[in-house]
Amino acid sequence: MLKLKRMPKHIGIIPDGNRRWAVAKGLQKEDGYEYGIEPGKMLFEEVRKLGIPEVSIYIFTQENTFRPRKQIAAFQNAFLKFLNWIKNKDVSILAVGDASSPFFPEELKVFTVPQENREQKMKLNFLINYSWKWDLNMALVNSGNKRLRKQDILKNIGSKDVSRVDLLIRWGERRRLSGFLPVQSAYADIYIVKEMWPDFKPCQLHEALKWYEVQDVTLGG
Amino acid sequence: MLKLKRMPKHIGIIPDGNRRWAVAKGLQKEDGYEYGIEPGKMLFEEVRKLGIPEVSIYIFTQENTFRPRKQIAAFQNAFLKFLNWIKNKDVSILAVGDASSPFFPEELKVFTVPQENREQKMKLNFLINYSWKWDLNMALVNSGNKRLRKQDILKNIGSKDVSRVDLLIRWGERRRLSGFLPVQSAYADIYIVKEMWPDFKPCQLHEALKWYEVQDVTLGG
């Protein structure tokens, strides 16, 4: 069992590389998502064992919904399989994204508001039909007609119930945020895993946590 | 001369590590900033030679102004020396940050609005007494009393005149944004230089550009 002196309270996960992995295996691009389910389960079990209290996972974005229909169906199916598995695991699920769109799965609408007992459970945030533009623009909608000048925009964004991300781990080698929770990730330490998401192994998470342990936290100070 | 097929239109620069560099040399922390001026000049000359049309540089943040007074004076002095050198270089300077604070240098107030001929010159954006919270909250101030619901928040943020960042280069080994232009950096490719900023060499910039050349641009798609 991994023992660390300093653990993140909230990790962000960008499980990238499913399509590239599939192509490298001679499969169709959309076949990759199915192979991302088992890694998701392994990650969850590992994070729970380690006692990390909050995890945010980039499931799909509004930009992703401009991809070919076959791919959209494939990543939505894969996610719903994962959801069905995880929703009985005594976690507090929060779905963050534009729920007014047909791309937002019906099954998830019940999770768009924080559950009452959220603080007592492991928090699992799914970014679903999410986009950073939607997230920020929701501040205008949520602020409504109230006087805004003295308000804090951060209390009104779409992802206002998601806490600051300490460590962001991205699979699939690319070194960018791709719009992942820009507000919460302002100070996040970013760790890149070279392997594609379907090749997830717990040791990759461990390496990220060991790296995070020796970073200094300054929050910009 | 470096020849590349694909060049960024806008690079972000986080010149971190001045204090750590100074401590490693047996100097006082605040002495490091002075050694960051010459690297700034070298970087500018190199970027101009390469023809990159826009550069944003993280000069100091609102969080930085909670540091010891000696350090604040040192980074402000170093920056003003750099500013005096560069303002005659036929560039279009834009100062982005909270100009209502005493930490915002008087000399810069003239640069808080885009210059008329901005499109004809190399654009140089200095983040000065900047913070991502200020940047986003300015949307509330700028939107004023207008009806907001259908507006795009991005057109009203504090840094609204700064374009999307293609490549973000950070010196000093840390792998995080530290609040650098969260909106413009949503899709930026992030390149980390191990060396501290006072040890800047043009080859580090070249390596970053060569790495950027082989990244694919998807803008989240």
Side-chain angles (χ1 to χ4, degrees), chain B residues 153-216:
Chain B
I153 207 167
L154 307 180
K155 292 181 184 147
N156 288 295
I157 57 175
S159 61
K160 62 185 185 298
D161 297 306
V162 177
S163 74
R164 177 162 61 75
V165 172
D166 300 310
L167 169 63
L168 176 60
I169 314 176
R170 179 172 186 144
W171 272 259
E173 202 171 7
R174 286 177 183 149
R175 303 189 219 162
R176 50 176 98 137
L177 296 188
S178 300
F180 181 91
L181 295 172
V183 163
Q184 291 85 350
S185 304
Y187 305 116
D189 282 302
I190 305 166
Y191 186 89
I192 306 298
V193 180
K194 209 172 166 166
E195 289 80 13
M196 304 291 136
W197 175 248
D199 287 330
F200 170 85
K201 285 178 192 65
C203 63
Q204 296 156 352
L205 174 66
H206 295 176
E207 288 305 313
L209 291 168
K210 281 190 260 178
W211 173 78
Y212 176 77
E213 190 184 25
V214 296
Q215 303 308 304
D216 67 322

Side-chain angles (χ1 to χ4, degrees), chain A residues 19 61 63-64 67 132-133 136-137 139-141 143-145 147-154 173-180 182-192 211 215-221, chain B residues 19 61 63-64 67 132-133 136-137 139-141 143-145 147-154 173-180 182-192 211 215-221:
Chain A
R19 294 185 299 171
T61 63
E63 290 104 330
N64 294 159
R67 290 180 181 171
W132 61 279
K133 288 181 192 172
L136 298 178
N137 276 322
L140 301 181
V141 177
S143 305
N145 292 320
R147 284 187 68 81
L148 290 174
R149 281 173 188 269
K150 300 225 165 162
Q151 280 186 36
D152 183 352
I153 208 168
L154 307 180
E173 204 171 6
R174 286 176 183 151
R175 302 190 218 163
R176 50 176 98 138
L177 295 189
S178 300
F180 180 91
V183 163
Q184 291 84 351
S185 304
Y187 304 116
D189 283 301
I190 305 166
Y191 185 90
I192 305 299
W211 172 79
Q215 303 308 305
D216 67 322
V217 175
T218 62
L219 301 183
Chain B
R19 293 184 301 170
T61 64
E63 289 105 330
N64 294 159
R67 291 181 180 171
W132 61 279
K133 289 181 192 173
L136 299 178
N137 276 322
L140 301 181
V141 178
S143 305
N145 292 321
R147 282 186 70 81
L148 291 174
R149 281 171 189 270
K150 300 225 167 162
Q151 281 188 34
D152 183 352
I153 207 167
L154 307 180
E173 202 171 7
R174 286 177 183 149
R175 303 189 219 162
R176 50 176 98 137
L177 296 188
S178 300
F180 181 91
V183 163
Q184 291 85 350
S185 304
Y187 305 116
D189 282 302
I190 305 166
Y191 186 89
I192 306 298
W211 173 78
Q215 303 308 304
D216 67 322
V217 176
T218 62
L219 301 183

Side-chain angles (χ1 to χ4, degrees), chain A residues 98-136:
Chain A
D98 182 2
S100 72
S101 144
F103 288 113
F104 194 93
E106 276 301 315
E107 295 90 323
L108 270 174
K109 288 195 173 159
V110 61
F111 297 113
T112 53
V113 286
Q115 295 179 285
E116 268 182 35
N117 54 2
R118 183 162 164 84
E119 292 307 317
Q120 278 80 59
K121 295 187 178 182
M122 178 179 159
K123 297 172 194 168
L124 204 48
N125 313 316
F126 294 128
L127 305 198
I128 299 283
N129 198 40
Y130 173 90
S131 98
W132 61 279
K133 288 181 192 172
W134 165 84
D135 196 358
L136 298 178

Side-chain angles (χ1 to χ4, degrees), chain A residues 85-102:
Chain A
W85 177 82
I86 208 159
K87 69 185 179 188
N88 303 312
K89 292 278 176 187
D90 197 36
V91 288
S92 178
I93 293 171
L94 183 70
V96 181
D98 182 2
S100 72
S101 144

